[in-house]
Amino acid sequence: MQKVSSIFCTFIAGFLLFFAWSGYIKDEFKSDEFQGYVIKKERSEKVISMGSSLISQPQYTIFFEDRQKLQVPHAIYMKIKVGNYIQLIKHKDNITLSE
C-alpha cells in the first residue's frame, strides 16, 4: 500500500510540475505587437512621492490611429515621427521598434 501511494504522489507531483512549467514557458514567449500610423506623441510628467521629497519622472506616450496608446522609452519616442507607420513589439517590460 505504501508503494502505491508513493508512486501516486510522485505522479501527482510530476503532473503539477509540468503544468507549472508550461505556464512559465508560455509567459516567457508571450509578446504583444502594436502597429499602425502614429497620430500623436505626448510627453507628460509623473510626480512620485519618495518620503519627504517629490520626484518628477517623464513619461512618453504615443497614440495610434486605432485609438491605442502605448508608453514607450525616451529613445523610441525620439525615433518615431507623427504620421509614420510603425511596428512595436512588447515583451514583458521591453519594447522594440521593428523596422
Side-chain angles (χ1 to χ4, degrees):
M1 182 67 182
Q2 188 178 14
K3 188 174 183 177
V4 172
S5 65
S6 175
I7 292 172
F8 181 72
C9 288
T10 303
F11 176 74
I12 294 297
F15 184 74
L16 293 174
L17 185 62
F18 169 74
F19 279 107
W21 271 101
S22 66
Y24 172 76
I25 291 173
K26 183 175 123 183
D27 288 343
E28 281 297 312
F29 291 109
K30 180 183 175 195
S31 62
D32 297 321
E33 184 175 323
F34 298 91
Q35 59 185 357
Y37 288 96
V38 177
I39 59 170
K40 182 176 154 185
K41 291 172 41 173
E42 186 177 274
R43 180 184 188 275
S44 60
E45 295 286 329
K46 179 180 179 183
V47 178
I48 302 170
S49 176
M50 302 280 285
S52 62
S53 63
L54 297 174
I55 298 172
S56 66
Q57 181 180 17
Q59 290 187 327
Y60 304 98
T61 308
I62 59 170
F63 296 88
F64 291 97
E65 64 184 342
D66 58 354
R67 301 191 188 260
Q68 287 184 341
K69 66 179 182 178
L70 180 65
Q71 289 186 354
V72 295
H74 177 70
I76 292 177
Y77 179 82
M78 296 306 291
K79 287 182 182 179
I80 295 172
K81 293 183 174 51
V82 174
N84 286 354
Y85 182 85
I86 63 166
Q87 181 178 10
L88 295 171
I89 299 171
K90 183 176 181 180
H91 176 70
K92 293 187 179 180
D93 291 333
N94 297 329
I95 297 176
T96 307
L97 179 62
S98 182
E99 299 289 330

